[in-house]
Short mmCIF file of all heavy atoms in Angstrom, two decimals:
data_model
loop_
_atom_site.label_atom_id
_atom_site.label_comp_id
_atom_site.label_asym_id
_atom_site.label_seq_id
_atom_site.Cartn_x
_atom_site.Cartn_y
_atom_site.Cartn_z
N GLU A 1 -110.95 -93.30 -161.38
CA GLU A 1 -109.92 -94.29 -161.17
C GLU A 1 -108.60 -93.69 -160.81
O GLU A 1 -107.52 -94.19 -160.86
CB GLU A 1 -109.68 -95.06 -162.50
CG GLU A 1 -110.96 -95.76 -162.98
CD GLU A 1 -111.56 -96.74 -161.87
OE1 GLU A 1 -110.72 -97.35 -161.27
OE2 GLU A 1 -112.80 -96.74 -161.86
N GLY A 2 -108.68 -92.36 -160.31
CA GLY A 2 -107.36 -91.68 -160.01
C GLY A 2 -106.57 -92.32 -158.80
O GLY A 2 -107.17 -93.01 -157.99
N ARG A 3 -105.41 -92.18 -158.79
CA ARG A 3 -104.46 -92.75 -157.90
C ARG A 3 -104.63 -92.05 -156.50
O ARG A 3 -104.72 -92.67 -155.33
CB ARG A 3 -102.99 -92.72 -158.26
CG ARG A 3 -101.99 -93.30 -157.21
CD ARG A 3 -100.58 -93.07 -157.64
NE ARG A 3 -99.69 -93.99 -157.07
CZ ARG A 3 -98.36 -93.68 -156.72
NH1 ARG A 3 -98.00 -92.43 -157.15
NH2 ARG A 3 -97.66 -94.52 -156.23
N TYR A 4 -104.88 -90.72 -156.49
CA TYR A 4 -105.11 -90.00 -155.27
C TYR A 4 -106.55 -89.80 -154.94
O TYR A 4 -107.41 -90.11 -155.79
CB TYR A 4 -104.30 -88.64 -155.49
CG TYR A 4 -102.92 -88.70 -155.52
CD1 TYR A 4 -102.22 -88.87 -156.75
CD2 TYR A 4 -102.01 -88.62 -154.36
CE1 TYR A 4 -100.85 -89.02 -156.85
CE2 TYR A 4 -100.56 -88.73 -154.52
CZ TYR A 4 -100.09 -88.85 -155.77
OH TYR A 4 -98.71 -89.07 -155.84
N CYS A 5 -106.80 -89.14 -153.83
CA CYS A 5 -108.11 -88.83 -153.41
C CYS A 5 -108.25 -87.30 -153.16
O CYS A 5 -107.21 -86.70 -152.90
CB CYS A 5 -108.67 -89.59 -152.07
SG CYS A 5 -108.69 -91.26 -152.36
N ALA A 6 -109.40 -86.79 -153.25
CA ALA A 6 -109.51 -85.29 -153.12
C ALA A 6 -110.85 -84.94 -152.54
O ALA A 6 -111.89 -85.65 -152.70
CB ALA A 6 -109.27 -84.57 -154.35
N VAL A 7 -110.90 -83.80 -151.89
CA VAL A 7 -112.22 -83.21 -151.42
C VAL A 7 -112.69 -82.51 -152.69
O VAL A 7 -112.06 -81.66 -153.27
CB VAL A 7 -112.05 -82.30 -150.34
CG1 VAL A 7 -113.41 -81.66 -149.88
CG2 VAL A 7 -111.40 -82.98 -149.12
N PRO A 8 -113.98 -82.69 -153.15
CA PRO A 8 -114.46 -82.19 -154.44
C PRO A 8 -114.79 -80.72 -154.42
O PRO A 8 -115.00 -80.10 -155.40
CB PRO A 8 -115.73 -83.02 -154.69
CG PRO A 8 -116.12 -83.48 -153.38
CD PRO A 8 -114.84 -83.66 -152.57
N ILE A 9 -114.71 -80.17 -153.21
CA ILE A 9 -115.09 -78.70 -153.05
C ILE A 9 -113.95 -77.93 -152.49
O ILE A 9 -113.39 -78.29 -151.34
CB ILE A 9 -116.37 -78.59 -152.06
CG1 ILE A 9 -117.54 -79.27 -152.58
CG2 ILE A 9 -116.73 -77.07 -151.96
CD1 ILE A 9 -118.69 -79.23 -151.68
N SER A 10 -113.40 -76.94 -153.16
CA SER A 10 -112.46 -76.02 -152.62
C SER A 10 -112.78 -74.65 -153.26
O SER A 10 -113.61 -74.51 -154.12
CB SER A 10 -111.12 -76.43 -152.92
OG SER A 10 -110.81 -76.49 -154.29
N HIS A 11 -112.10 -73.64 -152.73
CA HIS A 11 -112.39 -72.28 -153.16
C HIS A 11 -111.08 -71.59 -153.46
O HIS A 11 -110.08 -71.88 -152.90
CB HIS A 11 -113.01 -71.50 -151.98
CG HIS A 11 -114.38 -72.18 -151.61
ND1 HIS A 11 -115.58 -71.79 -152.10
CD2 HIS A 11 -114.57 -73.08 -150.58
CE1 HIS A 11 -116.54 -72.67 -151.60
NE2 HIS A 11 -115.88 -73.41 -150.68
N ARG A 12 -111.13 -70.71 -154.44
CA ARG A 12 -110.04 -69.80 -154.79
C ARG A 12 -110.21 -68.41 -154.47
O ARG A 12 -111.32 -67.81 -154.79
CB ARG A 12 -109.64 -70.05 -156.28
CG ARG A 12 -109.18 -71.47 -156.60
CD ARG A 12 -108.81 -71.63 -158.08
NE ARG A 12 -108.43 -72.93 -158.29
CZ ARG A 12 -107.23 -73.49 -157.97
NH1 ARG A 12 -106.27 -72.71 -157.48
NH2 ARG A 12 -106.94 -74.81 -158.35
N ALA A 13 -109.30 -67.75 -153.77
CA ALA A 13 -109.45 -66.34 -153.45
C ALA A 13 -107.93 -65.73 -153.28
O ALA A 13 -107.11 -66.42 -153.00
CB ALA A 13 -110.19 -66.19 -152.22
N THR A 14 -107.95 -64.43 -153.55
CA THR A 14 -106.61 -63.77 -153.33
C THR A 14 -106.59 -63.27 -151.73
O THR A 14 -107.63 -63.24 -151.04
CB THR A 14 -106.49 -62.52 -154.19
OG1 THR A 14 -107.49 -61.58 -153.80
CG2 THR A 14 -106.61 -62.87 -155.62
N LEU A 15 -105.42 -63.05 -151.27
CA LEU A 15 -105.16 -62.50 -149.98
C LEU A 15 -106.06 -61.27 -149.80
O LEU A 15 -106.53 -61.05 -148.64
CB LEU A 15 -103.68 -62.31 -149.69
CG LEU A 15 -102.80 -63.49 -149.46
CD1 LEU A 15 -101.43 -63.04 -149.22
CD2 LEU A 15 -103.37 -64.30 -148.16
N GLY A 16 -106.08 -60.39 -150.77
CA GLY A 16 -106.84 -59.15 -150.74
C GLY A 16 -108.34 -59.49 -150.57
O GLY A 16 -108.95 -58.71 -149.70
N GLU A 17 -108.83 -60.38 -151.28
CA GLU A 17 -110.28 -60.73 -151.12
C GLU A 17 -110.54 -61.32 -149.76
O GLU A 17 -111.62 -60.89 -149.16
CB GLU A 17 -110.62 -61.74 -152.23
CG GLU A 17 -110.65 -61.13 -153.65
CD GLU A 17 -110.73 -62.26 -154.66
OE1 GLU A 17 -110.46 -63.33 -154.43
OE2 GLU A 17 -111.13 -61.90 -155.84
N VAL A 18 -109.68 -62.14 -149.18
CA VAL A 18 -109.94 -62.67 -147.89
C VAL A 18 -109.96 -61.54 -146.87
O VAL A 18 -110.82 -61.45 -145.99
CB VAL A 18 -108.72 -63.58 -147.52
CG1 VAL A 18 -108.86 -64.11 -146.06
CG2 VAL A 18 -108.86 -64.95 -148.39
N VAL A 19 -108.96 -60.62 -146.91
CA VAL A 19 -108.86 -59.50 -145.98
C VAL A 19 -110.03 -58.59 -145.99
O VAL A 19 -110.66 -58.11 -145.05
CB VAL A 19 -107.54 -58.78 -146.15
CG1 VAL A 19 -107.52 -57.48 -145.30
CG2 VAL A 19 -106.39 -59.56 -145.74
N ASP A 20 -110.59 -58.31 -147.29
CA ASP A 20 -111.66 -57.46 -147.42
C ASP A 20 -112.85 -58.03 -146.88
O ASP A 20 -113.67 -57.31 -146.27
CB ASP A 20 -111.88 -57.21 -149.02
CG ASP A 20 -110.79 -56.22 -149.53
OD1 ASP A 20 -109.96 -55.64 -148.73
OD2 ASP A 20 -110.65 -56.22 -150.70
N LEU A 21 -113.12 -59.28 -147.01
CA LEU A 21 -114.25 -59.97 -146.46
C LEU A 21 -114.19 -59.96 -144.96
O LEU A 21 -115.16 -59.68 -144.24
CB LEU A 21 -114.42 -61.48 -146.91
CG LEU A 21 -115.05 -61.74 -148.27
CD1 LEU A 21 -114.78 -63.13 -148.69
CD2 LEU A 21 -116.52 -61.44 -148.27
N LEU A 22 -113.01 -60.23 -144.38
CA LEU A 22 -112.86 -60.30 -142.89
C LEU A 22 -113.14 -58.87 -142.30
O LEU A 22 -113.74 -58.66 -141.30
CB LEU A 22 -111.48 -60.68 -142.49
CG LEU A 22 -111.10 -62.21 -142.83
CD1 LEU A 22 -109.77 -62.62 -142.50
CD2 LEU A 22 -112.12 -63.06 -141.93
N GLN A 23 -112.67 -57.77 -143.11
CA GLN A 23 -112.90 -56.51 -142.49
C GLN A 23 -114.46 -56.10 -142.58
O GLN A 23 -114.91 -55.49 -141.75
CB GLN A 23 -112.16 -55.35 -143.44
CG GLN A 23 -110.64 -55.50 -143.32
CD GLN A 23 -110.00 -55.06 -142.00
OE1 GLN A 23 -110.73 -54.75 -140.99
NE2 GLN A 23 -108.72 -54.99 -141.99
N SER A 24 -115.15 -56.66 -143.54
CA SER A 24 -116.53 -56.38 -143.57
C SER A 24 -117.28 -57.05 -142.43
O SER A 24 -118.26 -56.62 -141.95
CB SER A 24 -117.27 -56.84 -144.90
OG SER A 24 -117.21 -58.30 -145.05
N PHE A 25 -116.82 -58.38 -142.14
CA PHE A 25 -117.35 -59.11 -140.92
C PHE A 25 -117.01 -58.29 -139.70
O PHE A 25 -117.93 -58.14 -138.81
CB PHE A 25 -116.70 -60.44 -140.78
CG PHE A 25 -116.86 -61.34 -142.09
CD1 PHE A 25 -115.94 -62.41 -142.27
CD2 PHE A 25 -117.91 -61.10 -142.96
CE1 PHE A 25 -116.07 -63.12 -143.42
CE2 PHE A 25 -117.94 -61.95 -144.13
CZ PHE A 25 -117.12 -62.92 -144.41
N HIS A 26 -115.85 -57.73 -139.57
CA HIS A 26 -115.47 -56.96 -138.44
C HIS A 26 -116.30 -55.76 -138.13
O HIS A 26 -116.57 -55.34 -137.04
CB HIS A 26 -113.90 -56.53 -138.48
CG HIS A 26 -113.45 -55.91 -137.38
ND1 HIS A 26 -113.46 -54.49 -137.27
CD2 HIS A 26 -112.94 -56.27 -136.25
CE1 HIS A 26 -112.81 -54.12 -136.21
NE2 HIS A 26 -112.48 -55.18 -135.43
N SER A 27 -116.72 -55.15 -139.23
CA SER A 27 -117.56 -53.96 -139.07
C SER A 27 -119.03 -54.15 -138.88
O SER A 27 -119.75 -53.24 -138.77
CB SER A 27 -117.38 -53.06 -140.34
OG SER A 27 -117.80 -53.73 -141.51
N GLN A 28 -119.51 -55.36 -139.02
CA GLN A 28 -120.91 -55.66 -139.01
C GLN A 28 -121.59 -55.15 -137.69
O GLN A 28 -122.68 -54.59 -137.77
CB GLN A 28 -121.19 -57.21 -139.14
CG GLN A 28 -122.59 -57.66 -139.26
CD GLN A 28 -123.37 -57.71 -137.93
OE1 GLN A 28 -122.86 -58.08 -136.93
NE2 GLN A 28 -124.67 -57.43 -138.01
N PRO A 29 -121.00 -55.26 -136.49
CA PRO A 29 -121.67 -54.66 -135.25
C PRO A 29 -121.94 -53.18 -135.41
O PRO A 29 -122.92 -52.65 -134.88
CB PRO A 29 -120.75 -54.94 -134.14
CG PRO A 29 -119.93 -56.11 -134.60
CD PRO A 29 -119.74 -55.88 -136.13
N GLN A 30 -121.17 -52.48 -136.20
CA GLN A 30 -121.34 -51.03 -136.49
C GLN A 30 -122.36 -50.67 -137.54
O GLN A 30 -123.20 -49.89 -137.41
CB GLN A 30 -120.03 -50.32 -136.76
CG GLN A 30 -119.07 -50.21 -135.57
CD GLN A 30 -118.39 -51.48 -135.32
OE1 GLN A 30 -117.93 -52.16 -136.05
NE2 GLN A 30 -118.38 -51.82 -133.99
N THR A 31 -122.21 -51.43 -138.71
CA THR A 31 -123.08 -51.17 -139.81
C THR A 31 -124.39 -51.91 -139.81
O THR A 31 -125.35 -51.76 -140.46
CB THR A 31 -122.38 -51.51 -141.06
OG1 THR A 31 -122.12 -53.04 -141.16
CG2 THR A 31 -120.97 -50.84 -141.25
N LEU A 32 -124.39 -53.04 -139.01
CA LEU A 32 -125.47 -54.05 -138.91
C LEU A 32 -125.70 -54.77 -140.24
O LEU A 32 -126.63 -55.57 -140.36
CB LEU A 32 -126.86 -53.40 -138.56
CG LEU A 32 -126.87 -52.70 -137.19
CD1 LEU A 32 -128.25 -52.12 -136.92
CD2 LEU A 32 -126.43 -53.55 -136.01
N LEU A 33 -124.84 -54.60 -141.14
CA LEU A 33 -124.89 -55.13 -142.63
C LEU A 33 -124.39 -56.43 -142.61
O LEU A 33 -123.13 -56.68 -142.29
CB LEU A 33 -124.26 -54.19 -143.60
CG LEU A 33 -124.48 -54.61 -145.00
CD1 LEU A 33 -125.90 -54.51 -145.42
CD2 LEU A 33 -123.50 -53.84 -145.97
N ILE A 34 -125.26 -57.52 -142.96
CA ILE A 34 -124.73 -58.85 -143.12
C ILE A 34 -124.29 -59.08 -144.58
O ILE A 34 -125.23 -58.74 -145.45
CB ILE A 34 -125.92 -59.92 -142.88
CG1 ILE A 34 -126.21 -59.82 -141.38
CG2 ILE A 34 -125.35 -61.30 -143.14
CD1 ILE A 34 -125.20 -60.25 -140.37
N PRO A 35 -123.07 -59.39 -144.83
CA PRO A 35 -122.58 -59.46 -146.33
C PRO A 35 -123.34 -60.60 -147.00
O PRO A 35 -123.96 -61.50 -146.29
CB PRO A 35 -120.98 -59.86 -146.13
CG PRO A 35 -120.69 -59.39 -144.76
CD PRO A 35 -121.91 -59.65 -143.86
N GLN A 36 -123.29 -60.65 -148.35
CA GLN A 36 -123.87 -61.79 -149.06
C GLN A 36 -123.16 -63.02 -148.76
O GLN A 36 -121.92 -63.27 -148.90
CB GLN A 36 -123.70 -61.46 -150.52
CG GLN A 36 -124.77 -60.37 -150.99
CD GLN A 36 -124.63 -60.06 -152.44
OE1 GLN A 36 -123.67 -60.27 -153.15
NE2 GLN A 36 -125.79 -59.69 -153.05
N ILE A 37 -123.93 -63.95 -148.23
CA ILE A 37 -123.32 -65.26 -147.93
C ILE A 37 -124.17 -66.39 -148.38
O ILE A 37 -124.78 -67.19 -147.74
CB ILE A 37 -123.06 -65.54 -146.40
CG1 ILE A 37 -124.36 -64.97 -145.57
CG2 ILE A 37 -121.90 -64.62 -145.83
CD1 ILE A 37 -124.35 -65.29 -144.13
N PRO A 38 -124.09 -66.56 -149.71
CA PRO A 38 -124.92 -67.68 -150.34
C PRO A 38 -124.51 -69.11 -149.79
O PRO A 38 -123.38 -69.30 -149.43
CB PRO A 38 -124.68 -67.54 -151.88
CG PRO A 38 -124.09 -66.16 -152.03
CD PRO A 38 -123.41 -65.82 -150.79
N THR A 39 -125.51 -70.09 -149.89
CA THR A 39 -125.16 -71.39 -149.50
C THR A 39 -124.04 -71.92 -150.23
O THR A 39 -123.93 -71.85 -151.47
CB THR A 39 -126.52 -72.31 -149.78
OG1 THR A 39 -127.49 -71.70 -149.09
CG2 THR A 39 -126.11 -73.63 -149.36
N GLY A 40 -123.03 -72.48 -149.50
CA GLY A 40 -121.92 -73.10 -150.09
C GLY A 40 -120.89 -72.21 -150.47
O GLY A 40 -119.73 -72.60 -150.97
N SER A 41 -120.96 -70.88 -150.34
CA SER A 41 -120.00 -69.84 -150.77
C SER A 41 -118.84 -69.75 -149.78
O SER A 41 -118.85 -70.16 -148.66
CB SER A 41 -120.63 -68.45 -150.83
OG SER A 41 -121.03 -68.04 -149.58
N PHE A 42 -117.76 -69.36 -150.38
CA PHE A 42 -116.47 -69.12 -149.49
C PHE A 42 -116.88 -68.06 -148.51
O PHE A 42 -116.37 -68.29 -147.28
CB PHE A 42 -115.44 -68.70 -150.48
CG PHE A 42 -114.14 -68.24 -149.66
CD1 PHE A 42 -113.41 -69.09 -148.92
CD2 PHE A 42 -113.67 -66.83 -149.70
CE1 PHE A 42 -112.30 -68.71 -148.22
CE2 PHE A 42 -112.48 -66.49 -149.04
CZ PHE A 42 -111.85 -67.37 -148.22
N ALA A 43 -117.57 -66.99 -148.77
CA ALA A 43 -117.90 -65.97 -147.78
C ALA A 43 -118.60 -66.46 -146.57
O ALA A 43 -118.26 -66.11 -145.52
CB ALA A 43 -118.71 -64.92 -148.50
N LYS A 44 -119.53 -67.47 -146.88
CA LYS A 44 -120.28 -68.04 -145.74
C LYS A 44 -119.41 -68.78 -144.85
O LYS A 44 -119.51 -68.64 -143.63
CB LYS A 44 -121.43 -68.90 -146.33
CG LYS A 44 -122.26 -69.51 -145.21
CD LYS A 44 -123.35 -70.30 -145.77
CE LYS A 44 -124.31 -70.90 -144.64
NZ LYS A 44 -125.40 -71.75 -145.18
N LYS A 45 -118.46 -69.57 -145.45
CA LYS A 45 -117.65 -70.47 -144.66
C LYS A 45 -116.58 -69.62 -143.86
O LYS A 45 -116.15 -69.89 -142.75
CB LYS A 45 -116.92 -71.49 -145.57
CG LYS A 45 -117.95 -72.47 -146.20
CD LYS A 45 -117.33 -73.30 -147.34
CE LYS A 45 -118.33 -74.08 -147.99
NZ LYS A 45 -117.91 -74.84 -149.15
N LEU A 46 -116.09 -68.59 -144.57
CA LEU A 46 -115.10 -67.66 -143.99
C LEU A 46 -115.80 -66.90 -142.81
O LEU A 46 -115.10 -66.64 -141.75
CB LEU A 46 -114.54 -66.69 -144.91
CG LEU A 46 -113.45 -65.68 -144.48
CD1 LEU A 46 -112.14 -66.59 -144.07
CD2 LEU A 46 -113.07 -64.75 -145.53
N TYR A 47 -117.00 -66.54 -142.92
CA TYR A 47 -117.71 -65.74 -141.84
C TYR A 47 -117.73 -66.69 -140.54
O TYR A 47 -117.52 -66.22 -139.45
CB TYR A 47 -119.07 -65.29 -142.32
CG TYR A 47 -119.62 -64.09 -141.64
CD1 TYR A 47 -120.65 -63.42 -142.12
CD2 TYR A 47 -119.12 -63.67 -140.41
CE1 TYR A 47 -121.23 -62.29 -141.47
CE2 TYR A 47 -119.62 -62.45 -139.74
CZ TYR A 47 -120.68 -61.84 -140.35
OH TYR A 47 -121.26 -60.75 -139.72
#
């Protein structure tokens, strides 16, 4: 019965965590390593 509306899914992360994930994505062509990206995770959406 809330007055406002909201998207029920959001994610919390620090700037450092965001940058570290992005750096791992950037290095993937060299390492061939796909980071852990579980269904619905922030990492999957950021990738």
Side-chain angles (χ1 to χ4, degrees):
E1 303 303 320
R3 186 187 194 204
Y4 292 90
C5 294
V7 181
I9 302 170
S10 66
H11 303 273
R12 295 185 181 277
T14 65
L15 283 177
E17 290 169 338
V18 172
V19 170
D20 290 346
L21 279 170
L22 291 175
Q23 296 289 9
S24 73
F25 305 155
H26 180 267
S27 65
Q28 191 277 329
Q30 288 75 47
T31 65
L32 302 183
L33 185 65
I34 299 292
Q36 291 183 324
I37 46 174
T39 299
S41 67
F42 172 64
K44 182 178 181 181
K45 297 168 184 179
L46 185 64
Y47 206 164

